[in-house]
């Protein structure tokens, strides 16, 4: 297990370095950030002065190494457009994005696993119905779902707010109400994916000889499912849940724009449109750190549930 975790940590560090370097170098290929900051009416002298002020007159490799060394010490720099500390700006936006993503992941896991387990056990028309719902969940665009939910529950029935976000510490009830529509919008495809994977994993385990032997000895179906089937079917389902979290994190950055949520998505899009390289770089780094952390947790849980994985 120690060797397994060591390999995963090395891979995680390598991924962070590669993604941060690619982002930094690709941002350097964009049009002159000084023009985006000063506007189209800026003179060549003003642009040259702004480039020197931002350090853009230096080669890109030394600039990246300086940024990387500062990032390792927790300093993500200062925004080129607002003058605010990038780490502080991300710190105020990250809870919104994590609230949306984590809540959507829990909803996807609960409904997806329940539907998949039900379909694997019942088979027949139930199985076919869940399969149809899963295909529909994959096919329906999330934007279309969001528009329908807002039109019904926010505009017509006036049950839920159409936009905005209320912090959890301010009002737990209003916090939950502000997340219902965004979570429902991005959770549809996730529920479909987890339901399909859970159904396939459980159905495969149910057909194994040892499960049939246990059932022939008179063990209750509930005990067989909880003690034997779910333990063997959980690792593949857990992997899909981890992948769905990553997908939901990317989807949350877009959904935040639709529902006017002040998360990392609004910060990243605003910074990109204004050529605010330090903020974009900071958002990318933090997002990758979240993804890497989730992957490590999933790998650890999978290794505990399936010792053979930890030996690879």
């Amino acid at each position: 297990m120690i060797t397994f975790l060591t390999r995963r940590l090395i891979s995680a560090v390598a991924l962070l370095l590669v993604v941060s370097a690619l982002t930094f170098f690709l941002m350097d290929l964009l049009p002159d950030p000084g023009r985006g900051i000063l506007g189209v009416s800026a003179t060549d002298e003003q642009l040259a002065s702004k480039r020197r002020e931002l350090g853009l007159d230096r080669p890109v490799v030394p600039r990246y190494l300086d940024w990387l060394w500062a990032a390792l010490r927790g300093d993500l720099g200062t925004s080129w457009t607002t003058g605010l500390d990038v780490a502080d700006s991300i710190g105020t936006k990250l809870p919104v994005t994590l609230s949306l993503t984590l809540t959507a992941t829990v909803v996807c896991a609960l409904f997806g696993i329940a539907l998949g387990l039900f379909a694997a056990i019942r088979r027949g028309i139930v199985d076919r119905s869940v399969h149809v719902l899963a295909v529909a969940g994959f096919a329906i665009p999330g934007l279309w779902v969001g528009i329908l939910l807002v039109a019904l529950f926010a505009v017509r029935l006036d049950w839920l707010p159409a936009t905005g976000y209320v912090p959890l510490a301010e009002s737990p009830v209003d916090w939950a109400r502000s997340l219902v529509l965004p979570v429902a919008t991005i959770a549809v495809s996730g529920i479909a994916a987890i339901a399909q994977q859970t159904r396939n994993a459980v159905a495969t385990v149910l057909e194994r000889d040892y499960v049939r032997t246990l059932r022939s000895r008179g063990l209750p179906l509930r005990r067989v499912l909880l003690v034997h089937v779910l333990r063997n079917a959980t690792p593949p389902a857990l992997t899909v849940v981890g992948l769905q979290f990553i997908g939901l994190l990317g989807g949350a950055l877009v959904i935040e724009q639709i529902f006017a949520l002040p998360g990392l998505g609004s910060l990243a899009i605003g910074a990109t449109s204004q050529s605010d390289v330090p903020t974009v770089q900071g958002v990318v780094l933090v997002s990758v750190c979240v993804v890497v952390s989730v992957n490590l947790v999933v790998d650890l849980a999978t290794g505990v549930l399936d010792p053979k994985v930890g030996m690879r």
Side-chain angles (χ1 to χ4, degrees), residues 121-140:
I121 296 173
R122 296 296 182 181
R123 300 295 180 91
I125 189 171
V126 175
D127 188 12
R128 291 192 292 271
S129 299
V130 171
H131 179 71
V132 170
L133 291 175
V135 173
F138 284 121
I140 298 176

Side-chain angles (χ1 to χ4, degrees), residues 42-78:
T43 64
D44 292 339
E45 292 77 11
Q46 290 174 325
L47 290 175
S49 176
K50 176 59 70 172
R51 286 183 61 84
R52 287 193 298 271
E53 177 186 341
L54 299 176
L56 297 177
D57 56 335
R58 301 171 56 212
V60 63
V61 174
R63 285 192 284 119
Y64 170 70
L65 294 177
D66 290 343
W67 174 87
L68 181 61
W69 175 246
L72 292 174
R73 293 181 281 112
D75 181 11
L76 297 179
T78 303

Side-chain angles (χ1 to χ4, degrees), residues 83-135:
L84 299 176
D85 184 79
V86 173
D88 291 340
S89 298
I90 293 176
T92 60
K93 306 290 187 180
L94 184 59
V96 180
T97 301
L98 288 182
S99 294
L100 176 58
T101 307
L102 289 174
T103 304
T105 303
V106 171
V107 170
C108 289
L110 290 177
F111 283 93
I113 292 174
L115 286 174
L117 186 61
F118 190 61
I121 296 173
R122 296 296 182 181
R123 300 295 180 91
I125 189 171
V126 175
D127 188 12
R128 291 192 292 271
S129 299
V130 171
H131 179 71
V132 170
L133 291 175
V135 173

Side-chain angles (χ1 to χ4, degrees), residues 27 30-37 80-81 270-278 280:
M27 292 295 294
L30 295 177
D32 190 354
R35 179 73 67 183
I37 296 173
W80 288 352
T81 56
T272 303
S273 64
Q274 297 174 348
S275 301
D276 189 355
V277 175
V280 174

